[in-house]
């Protein structure tokens, strides 16, 4: 079975062709990084126009790179939310059009489910597993029992972790997106120089909070004796922030694992996915936390942690494999909680 996956919910125009035996035949990603960088964040209107302009060419090159034609496909999947509505509409409409013209099944995919299912594409892990999804818009724990079968254990009560990385980078004068910039410079810094808060640490639930950490970094950068022109200062603050974020995530993960083990005594895997899961300090810390709890830790390679079409195609394959597909009436959803029950048609 061959599926095309289309991802346009944020600032990547991405198309992939994936086979059900886990081969990624093509994985085209056009980043709009340079279009948004002058604004320090994603501008929805610019994103939508750019998707509209580039998606047809990316679809064509996705097919060419894979060496396949539309007639070789067995279905088309697209991110239908959550995300920036203009972009989601464009990807969804493109997928529906291809499915309509070529009489193929169409599958509407939740972007966060696509991140959550990626470790099954890359590492062939079994259900159920505990997933930590950390990206620019989300920070959550979810027990993944099957396609379309998710229980959320905890989420952020304010900012997403990726947002905290992006804002911290901006305070430090580092380029957007902040995550890779922070990770880069932090490798030259000492994480123990600055004592930053660890919000929610020790609380009994699995929720996150990042706004206090973000504010603490802002206050630190505004202090008259903090010299942001000194590269060592920037590196030390970046490293201290990164360690604080990783500490918080590991602390919350201990609680999430406890709940997961109670719900699924046979579950033995912790997964991290989403853009922030490409951070190596975070991965190391999660690896250690999982090992202490007797779980294996799996995270996709960084290129499949950030937004891509392969994860959408794979989620489409997972849905089709259990007989789930969607009608052309499926509307784009700017908000779409992962545990919201969506009635799907049978293939
Ligand atoms: O999953 P993603 O590509 O897009 C969303 O769905 O949001 O995640 C993007 C987020 C951004 O906030 C970016 O700064 C962060 O992931 N990110 C990282 C790293 N690479 C990307 N954060 C920390 N360390 C990284 N290496
Ligand atoms: Zn994402």
């Amino acid at each position: 079975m061959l599926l095309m996956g289309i991802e346009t919910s944020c600032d990547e125009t991405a198309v992939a062709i994936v086979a059900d035996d886990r081969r990624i035949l093509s994985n085209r990603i056009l980043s709009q990084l340079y279009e948004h960088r002058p604004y320090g964040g994603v501008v929805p209107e610019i994103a939508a126009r750019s998707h509209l302009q580039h998606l047809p060419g990316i679809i064509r090159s996705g097919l060419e790179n894979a060496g396949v034609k539309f007639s070789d496909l067995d279905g088309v999947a697209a991110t239908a939310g959550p995300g920036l509505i203009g972009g989601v509409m464009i990807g969804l409409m493109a997928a529906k059009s291809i499915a309509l013209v070529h009489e193929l099944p169409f599958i509407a995919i939740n972007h966060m489910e696509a991140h959550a299912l990626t470790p099954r594409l890359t590492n062939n892990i079994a259900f159920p597993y505990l997933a930590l999804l950390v990206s620019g818009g989300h920070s959550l724990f979810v027990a993944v029992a099957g396609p379309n079968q998710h229980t959320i254990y905890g989420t952020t009560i304010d900012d997403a972790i990726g947002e905290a990385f992006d804002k911290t980078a901006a305070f430090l004068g580092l380029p957007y997106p902040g995550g890779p910039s922070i990770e880069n410079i932090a490798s030259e810094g000492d994480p123990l120089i600055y004592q930053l808060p660890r919000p929610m640490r020790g609380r009994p639930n699995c929720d996150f909070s990042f706004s206090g950490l973000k504010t603490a970094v802002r206050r630190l950068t505004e202090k008259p004796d903090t010299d942001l022109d000194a590269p060592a200062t920037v590196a030390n603050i970046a490293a201290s922030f990164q360690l604080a974020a990783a500490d918080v995530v590991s602390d919350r993960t201990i609680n999430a694992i406890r709940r997961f083990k109670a719900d699924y005594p046979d579950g033995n895997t912790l997964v991290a996915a989403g853009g922030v899961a490409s951070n190596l300090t975070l991965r190391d810390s999660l690896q250690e936390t999982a090992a202490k709890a007797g779980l294996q830790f799996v995270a996709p390679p960084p290129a499949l942690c950030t937004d891509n079409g392969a994860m959408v195609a794979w989620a489409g394959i997972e849905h089709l494999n259990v007989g789930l597909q969607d009608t052309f009436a499926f509307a784009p959803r700017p908000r779409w909680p992962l545990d919201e029950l969506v009635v799907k048609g049978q293939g």
Side-chain angles (χ1 to χ4, degrees), residues 249-331:
V249 171
S250 284
D251 176 76
R252 311 285 69 213
T253 302
I254 293 169
N255 289 359
I257 291 177
R258 199 173 297 133
R259 182 161 167 200
F260 175 68
K261 280 182 161 174
D263 289 351
Y264 300 98
D266 296 333
N268 63 1
T269 307
L270 168 70
V271 153
V276 184
S278 38
N279 186 283
L280 293 178
T281 300
L282 188 72
R283 285 164 97 112
D284 286 351
S285 155
L286 287 167
Q287 167 89 56
E288 202 182 309
T289 305
K292 274 188 195 148
L295 298 190
Q296 67 162 336
F297 174 67
V298 172
L304 292 172
C305 277
T306 44
D307 290 350
N308 64 86
M311 67 180 191
V312 179
W314 177 256
I317 289 172
E318 294 262 24
H319 281 220
L320 279 185
N321 274 340
V322 293
L324 299 175
Q325 64 181 72
D326 295 282
T327 70
F328 292 136
F330 199 101

Side-chain angles (χ1 to χ4, degrees), residues 168-229:
T168 293
F171 297 147
L172 294 174
L174 301 171
Y176 173 86
S181 307
I182 297 257
E183 177 160 32
N184 231 336
I185 199 147
S187 64
E188 288 150 33
D190 180 345
L192 303 176
I193 297 269
Y194 297 101
Q195 289 307 312
L196 293 171
R198 268 74 171 154
M200 306 295 274
R201 190 162 65 175
R203 296 275 182 92
N205 59 23
C206 315
D207 287 335
F208 295 102
S209 164
F210 289 102
S211 80
L213 176 56
K214 181 187 74 183
T215 308
V217 175
R218 181 171 56 74
R219 293 224 176 93
L220 180 60
T221 57
E222 285 168 358
K223 276 190 175 170
D225 56 345
T226 305
D227 178 11
L228 292 180
D229 290 331

Side-chain angles (χ1 to χ4, degrees), residues 99-124:
L100 182 68
V101 172
H102 298 280
E103 298 183 351
L104 295 169
F106 156 73
I107 309 99
I109 296 297
N110 180 308
H111 180 86
M112 298 313 290
E113 182 181 35
H115 277 305
L117 293 175
T118 304
R120 283 178 48 83
L121 165 64
T122 56
N123 297 67
N124 196 4

Side-chain angles (χ1 to χ4, degrees), residues 113-196:
E113 182 181 35
H115 277 305
L117 293 175
T118 304
R120 283 178 48 83
L121 165 64
T122 56
N123 297 67
N124 196 4
I125 61 167
F127 293 123
Y129 53 88
L130 173 65
L132 164 69
L133 304 181
V134 275
S135 71
H138 301 267
S139 315
L140 59 114
F141 288 107
V142 57
V144 184
N148 223 13
Q149 290 178 48
H150 311 291
T151 311
I152 293 179
Y153 284 178
T155 182
T156 179
I157 59 168
D158 42 51
D159 298 347
I161 183 170
E163 222 176 312
F165 270 90
D166 293 336
K167 294 268 165 60
T168 293
F171 297 147
L172 294 174
L174 301 171
Y176 173 86
S181 307
I182 297 257
E183 177 160 32
N184 231 336
I185 199 147
S187 64
E188 288 150 33
D190 180 345
L192 303 176
I193 297 269
Y194 297 101
Q195 289 307 312
L196 293 171

